[in-house]
Amino acid sequence: MKYFILALFYMVGAMASDQSKFEILPGKLHKGGNLVATLENGSSAEEVIINLKYEIIKKGLVPVSNEYLKGVYKQNLPAIFLDERGYLELENTKSMKIKDATVWHKGRTKYLDLNDAHLIQILPDNKKSEMNLIYHPQAPGLGWDNVKIILRTGVPLLDNYVLEGKSK
């Protein structure tokens, strides 16, 4: 679960508002959970600071320490992803190196009744996770939804574990 949380801070790069709430959908080892991402005061024109407050509810008898299931992480991200400008630039360049990860534009898709949503893949440099999501500027909160994270931990129980989330 620790690597899920580390991967989540990459997902908030599209800060369309100062707060967004996500529901973590039930999975093989967890019942669900919640994530609230907020823009911290003190962010600059070049970088933003994101606070991620999370809580994951594990299923009974799952041997994962509670210290990985609840807490707050902070991460600096390029301010270019505050709105669609960053995604349009990413669409032109196909990939962008950010701190500790590479972001890929994988094309466009339909999101609910909205056309031309961006398909985004985020690959952290540590190769311990992979994230796929949809961004659309008219989507609620951060503009992100259908977040799918694949953990690559090397730990048998959690290796290639899939976590999915939807914006609330």
Side-chain angles (χ1 to χ4, degrees):
M1 294 298 175
K2 175 183 174 183
Y3 297 108
F4 164 64
I5 301 310
L6 292 174
L8 276 176
F9 66 75
Y10 291 107
M11 119 180 145
V12 297
M15 196 55 83
S17 67
D18 63 354
Q19 184 180 71
S20 189
K21 296 179 181 181
F22 293 88
E23 174 186 5
I24 300 170
L25 303 176
K28 182 179 172 185
L29 301 175
H30 64 282
K31 295 178 182 179
N34 295 292
L35 170 76
V36 178
T38 56
L39 182 62
E40 182 177 295
N41 289 337
S43 295
S44 72
E46 295 170 5
E47 283 190 329
V48 294
I49 302 168
I50 307 299
N51 289 321
L52 295 163
K53 184 176 181 181
Y54 64 92
E55 182 173 6
I56 298 170
I57 303 163
K58 70 180 178 178
K59 290 184 177 179
L61 304 176
V62 173
V64 175
S65 173
N66 287 338
E67 71 181 274
Y68 299 121
L69 302 176
K70 186 176 183 180
V72 178
Y73 279 85
K74 290 185 179 194
Q75 180 62 40
N76 295 350
L77 298 169
I80 192 168
F81 288 103
L82 285 171
D83 57 40
E84 192 176 21
R85 291 173 297 159
Y87 301 95
L88 294 172
E89 181 177 324
L90 182 62
E91 183 176 30
N92 287 330
T93 62
K94 304 297 181 210
S95 69
M96 181 183 297
K97 178 71 177 118
I98 63 171
K99 184 177 181 180
D100 299 326
T102 302
V103 183
W104 294 86
H105 194 282
K106 294 297 190 174
R108 297 280 191 131
T109 190
K110 186 172 183 173
Y111 167 71
L112 300 176
D113 61 342
L114 303 170
N115 292 318
D116 293 328
H118 301 269
L119 293 171
I120 305 298
Q121 181 182 47
I122 301 172
L123 299 172
D125 293 344
N126 66 13
K127 299 181 185 342
K128 292 185 178 181
S129 63
E130 171 186 330
M131 187 179 323
N132 297 282
L133 50 96
I134 295 174
Y135 168 83
H136 194 285
Q138 293 178 14
L142 301 172
W144 295 67
D145 202 358
N146 298 333
V147 176
K148 182 177 179 181
I149 298 169
I150 303 166
L151 302 177
R152 305 200 190 290
T153 64
V155 177
L157 184 63
L158 296 176
D159 201 31
N160 294 318
Y161 190 70
V162 176
L163 294 153
E164 294 187 61
K166 289 203 171 279
S167 60
K168 288 185 177 183

